[in-house]
Amino acid sequence: MDLWFTENHTENVRFSIKVDKQLYTGQSEFQRIDIFDSEEFGRVLALDGYVMLTEKDEFMYHEMIVHVPMCVHPNPRKILVIGGGDGGTVRELVKYSSVESVDLVEIDEEVVTACKEYLPQTAGMLEDPRVNTHFEDGLKFIRHHENEYDLIIVDSTDPFGPGEGLFTREFYGNCYKALTDDGIMVNQHESPFYANDAYAMQRAHKQIVNSFPIARVYQAHIPTYPSGHWLFGFASKKYHPYNDVDFEKWKKLGLKLKYYNTNLHSASFALPTYVEELLKDVE
Amino acid sequence: MDLWFTENHTENVRFSIKVDKQLYTGQSEFQRIDIFDSEEFGRVLALDGYVMLTEKDEFMYHEMIVHVPMCVHPNPRKILVIGGGDGGTVRELVKYSSVESVDLVEIDEEVVTACKEYLPQTAGMLEDPRVNTHFEDGLKFIRHHENEYDLIIVDSTDPFGPGEGLFTREFYGNCYKALTDDGIMVNQHESPFYANDAYAMQRAHKQIVNSFPIARVYQAHIPTYPSGHWLFGFASKKYHPYNDVDFEKWKKLGLKLKYYNTNLHSASFALPTYVEELLKDVE
Amino acid sequence: MDLWFTENHTENVRFSIKVDKQLYTGQSEFQRIDIFDSEEFGRVLALDGYVMLTEKDEFMYHEMIVHVPMCVHPNPRKILVIGGGDGGTVRELVKYSSVESVDLVEIDEEVVTACKEYLPQTAGMLEDPRVNTHFEDGLKFIRHHENEYDLIIVDSTDPFGPGEGLFTREFYGNCYKALTDDGIMVNQHESPFYANDAYAMQRAHKQIVNSFPIARVYQAHIPTYPSGHWLFGFASKKYHPYNDVDFEKWKKLGLKLKYYNTNLHSASFALPTYVEELLKDVE
Amino acid sequence: MDLWFTENHTENVRFSIKVDKQLYTGQSEFQRIDIFDSEEFGRVLALDGYVMLTEKDEFMYHEMIVHVPMCVHPNPRKILVIGGGDGGTVRELVKYSSVESVDLVEIDEEVVTACKEYLPQTAGMLEDPRVNTHFEDGLKFIRHHENEYDLIIVDSTDPFGPGEGLFTREFYGNCYKALTDDGIMVNQHESPFYANDAYAMQRAHKQIVNSFPIARVYQAHIPTYPSGHWLFGFASKKYHPYNDVDFEKWKKLGLKLKYYNTNLHSASFALPTYVEELLKDVE
């Protein structure tokens, strides 16, 4: 049977996934939530029609958003995740025994409920005792926290709809305040390729550069995101993203991963020239 | 008007480009050749229904297949390009004044004729006096050359149809012989993500490892190729791909590029763990 | 969100319906069963990926397969429906108080179960006390009945998969025997437009012509079936399909319908010349 | 190769034709003109992205728009065709030796030029000496003609873009005046099935009913038009569309046709009940 889920990467580009079944559909207060099963990608989570993750390639995104900063920071104990209701980021974080607590602030409780039922691959560690889930607007939550987190991961949707506020200067400024003196913020940073995504990337970078002394961008291959070329922002009060990092210490943790490794860590900060130029234009 | 060109990345994944016009279509002795105009990607060349290049992102592919080996080799004078009838690889090569001759061996004359007419962006330098174009099967051409080329670039189509022979052990062995003592061979090396592409990647790597003392793989983001994650093979008799490379010398050439830079050069050899494992499985 | 169900009318023609939700999916012993909700067509039933009905246009099919023979036959009391597990044909039949019993022989119980839950528009009258549902192969059921039914309606799927046997000469011959002396058989008769459908139409017509003294074909517009041009077979032992029919008597029943009317009754037997010729070729 | 032309029948329904080649594309003063070659339908003419005709099924449309009025009128000598630049309507008209002149008024000369080159099947008779082609706006042309034509055929595009004015009361009133005392006007009348088409159908019917004493609608199956159910308007000063028609006289002409026949003539005026009701609503 021919049932296809299509994401319009632009008005002129379509990416289509053959769907076997629709496992879940719901309209929450914030967005439409769909979970499909597919032969190529396993289960697929879409919010408002945009692919958030697939079981086949979500490890790329979640490993890169988590292990880069976790390798840089010498002692990350208290962590805040904003967005990330699918649980993939939390799953990677709780692999570290050094982590004492993770606050997960997800605006949409229905996302978490649906993922717990249909996406155990990502949501399976949301019950870890160190994890506290708050169903709140991250934009508001962050206002009430100061000097508290070693690491903030902004695992947001795209900068329209519920995720819009998470791309503003006010928000990044509040993240800065909520971090300890050697804190790090990492965010999903859109893509440099298609015009609208590149514009969002530039806007986010401009705000972060204005809020943090160290602000760099790193990249990964994520096939089910538009263009397959995805960026992350690394913003830091003290630590450089790859110079002086104690990679050997991290290797001794013995984590079994599928995408991230310490060679790729530094390499992921080497960007194509056209991306460097897009970023410099707003610095 | 809704006219869409679709490439089936797998049976279950479709990538579709809105087409404004079909500028050219022809059936050559070897393959069907189409050139479209599109709003998102400019002109698009497809062979047997597979996207070979688009004006929007071909620079990524052509810069990475050319400048990586050209930066490594201290004195590349005589160069062989197999495939590459669109002219993009030649265009990058003739940017180097050190290059004395480029033999372009393209099996399908109609590809070159069509690209000269409809793709001046890539084909515009095919008339450079240092370029000699041979309309021959690369597999046969290579048999008659020994100890002759400093660099061979295998800019082939996928390993089925006309490009099939360019992924065999016999071919790579003949490339080895055709190279000088410090020669380098670079080839388009398929992708690690979708199963069929990953299998082709492993098969190519296995053959190359058996033919060359140094054989490494590097990666780039190429949005219009399946998964956007594309690999190149770097095979060498003498030079390591990034240790001991004189990057400063290359920078002094002052080439204006959009993707390749010397930071990215070394970084592109750092691969995701799952790709490393796929390669190790066949080494 | 862009979720589209596509039926390939031929290898070169696609008909696609935007789906809001997948309400049901199941794999029965016989076929894959899907029910979707769509904005344009309401609920849609697909078997093995082929549209069987949509809430928007099923009235066209069901009214034409039922009321044409019911208007012709002067006293139809005992009726057999083969296939038709969605209940639409039964719904039209039980509008007649003269009908004493309807045997519904549907091979796939899961179709009936799913339709009762998700397609009340068609399945709502399956509980009428005059209806007896048999979950059996119609091909076998018919062998054990003789001189029993006034009307047999063959409301089958296409002539491959579970419906294949319902297009054979043996089956039509057994229908003839199962009918009373003035009985009528009506069947869904495929379409004349696309080559494969036209071939199925000719094959069915050939078998029916060989089994019944009167065998005529009538047509209707059914937009969600391939080409929108659909045919029905009218096979009869005694009654001509429109000469000598007592239309005034039928009108007095006062049935409220949306497609069928007595003008259209006779008119539907006037076929385009190319269809007449396709039929004559096999008579 | 997967190249598909899609017409959106509504926002939620897509009809897609696999295209082999684009034979012609142009942007005239009035509209975008495309001619494709396809395996299923042969050549396809699209204006502003809407299918106007395909070589496979254009005979249905052209036979029905021409032979119905030509059979009714006892002596049609002078004929006006408005629109119809593809030549299909003219091709059917010049089959009658009684026809003395055909004025073809097509607003867009490029349509005629392109069809003459790429659609000889329809355009092949445009050079008949009885045909005079006028590249003018039919809306203006008609204002200057009175009591002149025996038959006017309005072979227009849809009621938006260049064809918009051909669905107005002013236009139909001027057609009335341009006809002789026993003249007939036939027009393409959109479709009853999808909401927007049905609305256009009702609007056209309302205007025609107000302009002509006899105004009836007839139908045909045209698979490549939205829903496959297409209507024509028959408006007449004197002759009823099927009562008192001398069918035997017409049969003696011995025209070889593929769709139209005299049985179908009368039958095509018998409409489904829901269509009758849509029409009555505006009478």
Side-chain angles (χ1 to χ4, degrees):
Chain A
M1 201 204 39
D2 257 353
L3 183 66
W4 294 79
F5 167 79
T6 294
E7 183 176 330
N8 294 280
H9 285 178
T10 76
E11 275 186 20
N12 301 302
V13 183
R14 290 182 183 154
F15 182 74
S16 304
I17 298 174
K18 192 169 182 181
V19 165
D20 190 43
K21 286 183 202 181
Q22 187 181 38
L23 298 171
Y24 178 83
T25 184
Q27 179 69 43
S28 77
E29 186 187 344
F30 302 101
Q31 55 206 335
R32 175 159 173 166
I33 305 164
D34 288 278
I35 300 175
F36 301 107
D37 204 1
S38 73
E39 185 159 332
E40 186 65 46
F41 297 107
R43 297 187 173 190
V44 177
L45 170 67
L47 298 181
D48 281 342
Y50 293 89
V51 173
M52 289 298 115
L53 66 84
T54 82
E55 287 187 335
K56 181 168 181 166
D57 71 348
E58 57 85 10
F59 72 93
M60 304 178 182
Y61 177 86
H62 290 123
E63 292 190 9
M64 288 301 279
I65 205 168
V66 166
H67 301 297
V68 169
M70 288 299 286
C71 182
V72 173
H73 198 290
N75 190 21
R77 285 173 300 181
K78 198 150 194 262
I79 296 168
L80 171 63
V81 178
I82 292 176
D86 54 70
T89 294
V90 163
R91 179 194 64 202
E92 296 303 311
L93 285 168
V94 299
K95 289 178 176 173
Y96 293 84
S97 58
S98 68
V99 168
E100 292 171 4
S101 78
V102 179
D103 283 327
L104 175 70
V105 180
E106 165 61 56
I107 201 170
D108 194 345
E109 187 166 1
E110 280 190 47
V111 169
V112 174
T113 306
C115 292
K116 278 184 175 168
E117 178 148 8
Y118 294 104
L119 286 168
Q121 179 179 308
T122 52
M125 299 307 286
L126 286 172
E127 302 300 334
D128 186 283
R130 291 169 290 171
V131 178
N132 298 295
T133 306
H134 310 258
F135 296 113
E136 284 181 46
D137 184 350
L139 195 61
K140 290 180 185 161
F141 181 93
I142 197 73
R143 288 183 191 135
H144 309 297
H145 293 264
E146 213 165 308
N147 190 28
E148 187 173 338
Y149 296 106
D150 301 309
L151 171 60
I152 297 174
I153 296 181
V154 187
D155 183 5
S156 68
T157 54
D158 295 312
F160 37 83
E164 196 166 358
L166 306 182
F167 284 78
T168 58
R169 185 155 182 193
E170 187 220 336
F171 174 70
Y172 296 129
N174 286 334
C175 285
Y176 184 90
K177 284 186 210 145
L179 287 170
T180 55
D181 287 350
D182 64 351
I184 295 170
M185 178 187 83
V186 164
N187 68 307
Q188 86 83 350
H189 207 286
E190 302 290 311
S191 165
F193 188 66
Y194 295 118
N196 282 347
D197 299 334
Y199 175 69
M201 168 198 87
Q202 286 186 302
R203 218 172 33 153
H205 189 60
K206 187 176 178 178
Q207 312 294 11
I208 295 170
V209 162
N210 282 326
S211 304
F212 283 83
I214 299 166
R216 295 289 299 273
V217 169
Y218 63 102
Q219 68 183 4
H221 286 91
I222 302 175
T224 58
Y225 282 4
S227 87
H229 189 177
W230 215 253
L231 302 177
F232 300 92
F234 179 97
S236 171
K237 290 186 173 181
K238 181 174 170 192
Y239 303 116
H240 184 274
Y242 50 89
N243 296 336
D244 316 314
V245 174
D246 189 347
F247 290 116
E248 293 311 309
K249 182 181 158 200
W250 186 87
K251 284 187 192 169
K252 280 184 196 135
L253 295 174
L255 300 183
K256 294 253 179 271
L257 303 180
K258 290 185 284 177
Y259 193 89
Y260 176 85
N261 56 57
T262 51
N263 285 334
L264 200 64
H265 179 116
S266 310
S268 67
F269 288 88
L271 304 176
T273 301
Y274 86 99
V275 183
E276 290 283 14
E277 287 170 358
L278 284 170
L279 294 171
K280 260 174 219 148
D281 284 351
V282 296
E283 278 175 3
Chain B
M1 201 202 41
D2 256 352
L3 183 66
W4 292 80
F5 167 79
T6 294
E7 183 175 329
N8 294 278
H9 285 177
T10 77
E11 276 185 19
N12 302 302
V13 183
R14 289 182 184 154
F15 181 73
S16 304
I17 297 174
K18 191 168 184 183
V19 165
D20 189 44
K21 288 182 200 180
Q22 187 181 38
L23 298 171
Y24 178 84
T25 184
Q27 179 69 43
S28 77
E29 186 186 344
F30 303 101
Q31 56 206 335
R32 173 158 175 168
I33 305 164
D34 289 278
I35 300 176
F36 301 106
D37 204 0
S38 72
E39 185 160 332
E40 187 66 46
F41 297 107
R43 297 186 172 190
V44 178
L45 170 67
L47 298 181
D48 282 343
Y50 293 90
V51 174
M52 288 298 115
L53 66 83
T54 81
E55 288 186 334
K56 181 168 180 167
D57 71 348
E58 57 85 13
F59 73 92
M60 305 179 183
Y61 176 86
H62 290 124
E63 291 191 10
M64 289 301 280
I65 205 168
V66 167
H67 301 296
V68 169
M70 288 299 286
C71 182
V72 173
H73 198 290
N75 190 19
R77 284 172 304 181
K78 201 151 192 260
I79 297 168
L80 171 61
V81 178
I82 292 176
D86 54 70
T89 293
V90 163
R91 179 194 63 201
E92 296 302 312
L93 285 167
V94 299
K95 290 178 177 171
Y96 293 84
S97 58
S98 68
V99 167
E100 293 170 6
S101 78
V102 179
D103 283 327
L104 176 70
V105 180
E106 164 61 55
I107 201 170
D108 194 344
E109 186 167 359
E110 280 191 47
V111 168
V112 174
T113 306
C115 292
K116 278 184 175 170
E117 177 149 6
Y118 295 105
L119 286 167
Q121 178 178 308
T122 53
M125 299 307 286
L126 287 171
E127 302 301 334
D128 186 283
R130 293 168 287 172
V131 178
N132 299 295
T133 306
H134 310 259
F135 297 114
E136 282 182 47
D137 184 349
L139 195 59
K140 291 179 184 161
F141 182 93
I142 197 73
R143 288 183 191 133
H144 309 297
H145 293 264
E146 213 163 307
N147 190 29
E148 189 174 336
Y149 296 105
D150 302 307
L151 171 60
I152 297 175
I153 296 180
V154 187
D155 182 7
S156 67
T157 55
D158 296 312
F160 39 82
E164 196 166 358
L166 306 182
F167 285 79
T168 60
R169 185 158 180 188
E170 186 220 336
F171 174 69
Y172 296 128
N174 285 335
C175 284
Y176 184 91
K177 284 186 211 144
L179 287 170
T180 55
D181 288 350
D182 64 350
I184 296 170
M185 177 187 84
V186 165
N187 68 309
Q188 85 83 348
H189 207 286
E190 301 290 309
S191 165
F193 188 66
Y194 295 119
N196 282 348
D197 299 333
Y199 175 70
M201 168 198 87
Q202 286 186 303
R203 218 172 33 152
H205 189 60
K206 188 178 179 179
Q207 311 294 10
I208 295 170
V209 161
N210 282 327
S211 303
F212 284 83
I214 298 167
R216 296 289 299 275
V217 169
Y218 63 102
Q219 68 184 5
H221 286 91
I222 303 175
T224 59
Y225 282 4
S227 85
H229 189 177
W230 216 254
L231 302 177
F232 300 92
F234 179 97
S236 173
K237 291 186 172 180
K238 182 174 169 192
Y239 303 116
H240 184 274
Y242 50 89
N243 295 337
D244 317 314
V245 174
D246 188 347
F247 290 116
E248 293 310 311
K249 183 182 158 200
W250 186 88
K251 283 186 192 171
K252 280 184 197 136
L253 296 173
L255 299 183
K256 295 254 178 270
L257 304 179
K258 289 186 285 177
Y259 193 89
Y260 176 85
N261 57 57
T262 52
N263 285 335
L264 199 64
H265 180 118
S266 312
S268 68
F269 288 88
L271 304 175
T273 301
Y274 87 99
V275 182
E276 291 282 14
E277 286 170 0
L278 284 169
L279 294 171
K280 260 174 219 150
D281 285 350
V282 297
E283 278 177 4
Chain C
M1 200 202 40
D2 255 353
L3 182 68
W4 292 80
F5 167 79
T6 294
E7 183 175 331
N8 294 279
H9 285 177
T10 78
E11 277 186 18
N12 301 302
V13 183
R14 289 180 183 155
F15 181 73
S16 305
I17 298 174
K18 191 167 184 183
V19 165
D20 189 44
K21 288 183 199 180
Q22 187 181 38
L23 298 171
Y24 178 84
T25 184
Q27 179 68 44
S28 77
E29 186 187 344
F30 302 100
Q31 57 206 335
R32 174 159 175 166
I33 305 164
D34 289 278
I35 300 176
F36 301 106
D37 204 0
S38 73
E39 186 161 331
E40 187 66 47
F41 298 106
R43 297 187 173 190
V44 177
L45 170 67
L47 298 181
D48 282 343
Y50 293 90
V51 174
M52 288 299 115
L53 66 84
T54 81
E55 288 186 334
K56 182 168 180 167
D57 70 348
E58 56 86 12
F59 73 93
M60 304 178 183
Y61 176 85
H62 290 123
E63 291 189 10
M64 288 302 279
I65 204 167
V66 167
H67 301 296
V68 169
M70 288 298 285
C71 182
V72 173
H73 198 291
N75 190 20
R77 283 172 304 182
K78 200 151 193 258
I79 297 168
L80 171 62
V81 178
I82 292 177
D86 54 69
T89 294
V90 164
R91 179 196 62 203
E92 296 303 312
L93 285 168
V94 299
K95 290 178 176 172
Y96 294 83
S97 58
S98 68
V99 168
E100 292 170 6
S101 77
V102 179
D103 283 327
L104 176 70
V105 180
E106 164 62 55
I107 202 170
D108 194 343
E109 186 167 1
E110 280 190 47
V111 168
V112 174
T113 307
C115 292
K116 278 184 175 170
E117 178 149 7
Y118 294 105
L119 286 167
Q121 179 178 309
T122 53
M125 299 307 285
L126 287 171
E127 302 302 334
D128 186 283
R130 291 168 290 169
V131 178
N132 299 295
T133 306
H134 310 259
F135 296 113
E136 282 182 48
D137 184 349
L139 195 60
K140 291 180 185 160
F141 181 93
I142 197 74
R143 288 184 192 133
H144 309 298
H145 293 264
E146 214 164 306
N147 190 29
E148 189 174 337
Y149 295 106
D150 302 308
L151 170 62
I152 297 176
I153 295 181
V154 187
D155 182 7
S156 68
T157 55
D158 296 313
F160 38 82
E164 195 166 358
L166 306 183
F167 285 78
T168 59
R169 185 157 180 189
E170 186 219 337
F171 173 70
Y172 297 128
N174 285 334
C175 285
Y176 184 91
K177 284 186 212 146
L179 287 169
T180 55
D181 287 351
D182 64 351
I184 296 170
M185 178 186 83
V186 164
N187 69 308
Q188 84 84 348
H189 207 286
E190 301 290 310
S191 165
F193 189 66
Y194 294 118
N196 282 348
D197 300 334
Y199 176 69
M201 167 198 87
Q202 286 186 303
R203 217 172 33 152
H205 189 61
K206 188 178 179 177
Q207 311 294 10
I208 295 169
V209 161
N210 283 326
S211 303
F212 283 83
I214 298 167
R216 295 288 299 275
V217 169
Y218 62 102
Q219 67 184 5
H221 286 93
I222 304 175
T224 60
Y225 282 5
S227 85
H229 190 177
W230 217 253
L231 302 177
F232 301 91
F234 178 97
S236 172
K237 292 186 172 180
K238 181 174 169 192
Y239 303 116
H240 184 275
Y242 52 89
N243 296 336
D244 316 314
V245 175
D246 188 346
F247 290 117
E248 293 312 310
K249 183 181 158 201
W250 185 87
K251 283 186 193 170
K252 280 184 198 136
L253 295 174
L255 299 184
K256 293 253 179 272
L257 304 180
K258 290 185 284 177
Y259 193 88
Y260 176 85
N261 56 58
T262 51
N263 284 335
L264 200 63
H265 180 117
S266 311
S268 67
F269 287 88
L271 304 176
T273 301
Y274 86 99
V275 183
E276 291 283 13
E277 287 170 358
L278 285 169
L279 294 171
K280 261 174 218 150
D281 284 351
V282 297
E283 278 176 3
Chain D
M1 201 202 41
D2 256 353
L3 182 66
W4 293 79
F5 167 79
T6 294
E7 183 176 330
N8 294 279
H9 285 177
T10 77
E11 277 186 19
N12 301 302
V13 183
R14 290 179 183 157
F15 181 74
S16 304
I17 297 173
K18 192 169 183 181
V19 165
D20 190 43
K21 287 183 201 181
Q22 187 181 38
L23 298 171
Y24 177 83
T25 184
Q27 178 69 43
S28 76
E29 186 187 344
F30 303 100
Q31 55 205 336
R32 174 160 174 165
I33 305 164
D34 289 277
I35 300 175
F36 302 106
D37 204 2
S38 74
E39 185 160 331
E40 187 66 46
F41 297 106
R43 298 188 172 189
V44 177
L45 170 66
L47 298 181
D48 282 341
Y50 294 88
V51 174
M52 288 299 114
L53 65 83
T54 82
E55 287 187 335
K56 182 169 181 167
D57 70 348
E58 57 85 9
F59 72 92
M60 305 177 182
Y61 176 86
H62 289 124
E63 291 190 9
M64 289 301 278
I65 205 168
V66 167
H67 300 297
V68 169
M70 289 298 286
C71 183
V72 173
H73 197 290
N75 190 19
R77 286 173 299 181
K78 198 149 196 256
I79 297 168
L80 171 63
V81 178
I82 291 177
D86 54 69
T89 293
V90 163
R91 179 195 63 204
E92 296 303 311
L93 284 169
V94 299
K95 290 178 176 172
Y96 293 83
S97 58
S98 68
V99 167
E100 294 170 5
S101 78
V102 178
D103 283 326
L104 176 69
V105 180
E106 164 61 55
I107 200 169
D108 194 345
E109 186 167 2
E110 281 191 47
V111 168
V112 174
T113 306
C115 291
K116 278 184 175 170
E117 177 147 8
Y118 295 106
L119 287 167
Q121 179 178 308
T122 52
M125 299 308 284
L126 287 172
E127 303 300 334
D128 187 282
R130 292 169 289 171
V131 178
N132 299 295
T133 306
H134 310 258
F135 297 114
E136 284 181 47
D137 184 349
L139 195 59
K140 290 178 186 162
F141 182 93
I142 198 73
R143 287 182 193 137
H144 309 296
H145 293 263
E146 213 162 311
N147 190 29
E148 187 173 340
Y149 296 106
D150 301 309
L151 170 60
I152 298 175
I153 296 181
V154 186
D155 182 6
S156 68
T157 54
D158 296 313
F160 38 83
E164 196 166 358
L166 306 182
F167 284 79
T168 58
R169 186 158 180 189
E170 187 220 337
F171 174 70
Y172 296 128
N174 286 334
C175 285
Y176 184 89
K177 284 185 211 146
L179 287 169
T180 54
D181 287 350
D182 64 350
I184 295 171
M185 179 187 83
V186 164
N187 68 308
Q188 85 84 351
H189 207 287
E190 302 290 309
S191 164
F193 189 66
Y194 295 118
N196 282 347
D197 300 334
Y199 174 69
M201 168 198 87
Q202 286 186 303
R203 218 173 30 154
H205 189 60
K206 188 177 179 178
Q207 313 293 11
I208 295 170
V209 161
N210 282 326
S211 303
F212 283 83
I214 298 167
R216 294 289 299 273
V217 169
Y218 63 101
Q219 68 183 3
H221 286 91
I222 303 175
T224 59
Y225 282 3
S227 86
H229 189 177
W230 215 254
L231 302 177
F232 300 92
F234 179 97
S236 172
K237 291 186 174 181
K238 181 175 169 191
Y239 302 116
H240 184 275
Y242 51 89
N243 295 336
D244 316 315
V245 174
D246 188 347
F247 291 116
E248 292 312 310
K249 182 181 158 200
W250 186 88
K251 283 186 192 169
K252 280 183 196 136
L253 295 173
L255 300 183
K256 293 253 179 270
L257 304 180
K258 291 186 283 177
Y259 194 87
Y260 176 85
N261 56 56
T262 51
N263 284 334
L264 200 63
H265 180 116
S266 310
S268 67
F269 288 88
L271 304 175
T273 301
Y274 86 99
V275 183
E276 291 282 14
E277 286 170 359
L278 285 169
L279 294 171
K280 261 174 219 148
D281 284 351
V282 296
E283 279 174 2

